[in-house]
Amino acid sequence: MHVVIMGCGRLGSTLAHKLDSRGHSVAIIDRNADAFRRLGAEFGGTTVTGIGFDRDVLREAGIERADAFAAVSSGDNSNIISARLARENFGVARVVARIYDARRAQVYERLGIPTVATIRWAADRMVRHLVPEGTVEVFRDPTSAVSIVEAPLHRDWVGRTIKALEDGTGARVAYLMRFGIGSLATASTVLQDGDQVFVVVTDDIVENVLAAAAGAEPGGH
């Protein structure tokens, strides 16, 4: 893949290194040439000095043959303008923009451009570290809307099916760990003692889901 990145700050440079190390072709744009020092001598991609929503600058970075584009500068407006250019003018299939204002991020999501609302994501993660609630979160999507958490089960769920658990908690089971091995459970999978169950939730339902899982199964023992 050829990936164009706008913004060589901490996130942009880290992203560039990760993609470069995986063998992808990478071009990174920044208006400040000194920013490229973050990349170090081992970076094998291309650097382009200029404004990331300038069409000529984007062409120099190879936007016309790009498979993906990431707008991760420090400015919301610059990021969304360049992301829309990449998507709408140059037809780049995979486009993502970092947006600091979570309310604006929702608007851009509706335009079909995935966004990473940095402040919301970071705040959510910090709250989970600062205020232990017994929730083990193993995944959170880039927009911070959906997560996968471990749902400790009441013993009464043992012997019941995954479908019963999903009906009882209102959440979808993502996978379970049994004897240290992960597996994709089906609706008819019967829960065993010692199973670790991980469910897909949103922030507005996670508390109720975990409470239901930790409570006795309706009609249980």
Side-chain angles (χ1 to χ4, degrees):
M1 290 178 61
H2 178 60
V3 183
V4 177
I5 300 169
M6 188 193 85
C8 193
R10 187 173 299 171
L11 177 56
S13 59
T14 300
L15 187 58
H17 270 297
K18 285 182 178 294
L19 292 168
D20 183 49
S21 67
R22 294 182 183 182
H24 298 293
S25 167
V26 180
I28 187 163
I29 302 168
D30 202 287
R31 65 176 66 197
N32 180 7
D34 288 339
F36 299 133
R37 293 178 181 175
R38 291 179 181 270
L39 297 170
E42 68 274 18
F43 177 65
T46 304
T47 59
V48 179
T49 304
I51 297 172
F53 48 85
D54 183 297
R55 286 176 172 80
D56 291 334
V57 171
L58 287 167
R59 289 191 181 95
E60 186 179 347
I63 194 70
E64 291 170 319
R65 60 184 175 88
D67 302 288
F69 178 81
V72 293
S73 77
S74 59
D76 281 7
N77 289 335
S78 297
N79 287 343
I80 200 61
I81 290 171
S82 62
R84 293 191 68 177
L85 268 175
R87 167 67 60 79
E88 297 167 13
N89 290 66
F90 293 103
V92 180
R94 297 180 181 89
V95 176
V96 65
R98 176 171 70 174
I99 303 297
Y100 285 90
D101 185 338
R103 291 170 298 179
R104 296 168 74 186
Q106 294 172 0
V107 175
Y108 298 136
E109 289 278 351
R110 290 196 288 270
L111 294 175
I113 297 174
T115 60
V116 178
T118 310
I119 298 303
R120 178 180 170 188
W121 181 87
D124 286 344
R125 292 297 292 250
M126 286 185 178
V127 166
R128 284 168 174 77
H129 283 292
L130 292 171
V131 186
E133 296 174 334
T135 303
V136 178
E137 181 181 294
V138 295
F139 168 83
R140 180 164 286 266
D141 87 291
T143 66
S144 197
V146 178
S147 62
I148 296 177
V149 300
E150 182 179 357
L153 300 181
H154 189 280
R155 63 181 178 274
D156 281 358
W157 289 104
V158 173
R160 304 292 293 175
T161 63
I162 290 292
K163 184 180 187 306
L165 178 64
E166 290 181 333
D167 290 345
T169 61
R172 183 179 304 171
V173 173
Y175 66 97
L176 63 83
M177 296 287 293
R178 179 172 291 171
F179 306 122
I181 300 173
S183 66
L184 296 177
T186 65
S188 60
T189 298
V190 176
L191 292 161
Q192 298 182 10
D193 190 25
D195 282 352
Q196 290 177 275
V197 177
F198 296 83
V199 295
V200 181
V201 294
T202 54
D203 287 346
D204 58 328
I205 68 168
V206 62
E207 289 186 13
N208 289 338
V209 168
L210 295 180
E217 198 273 326
H221 316 307

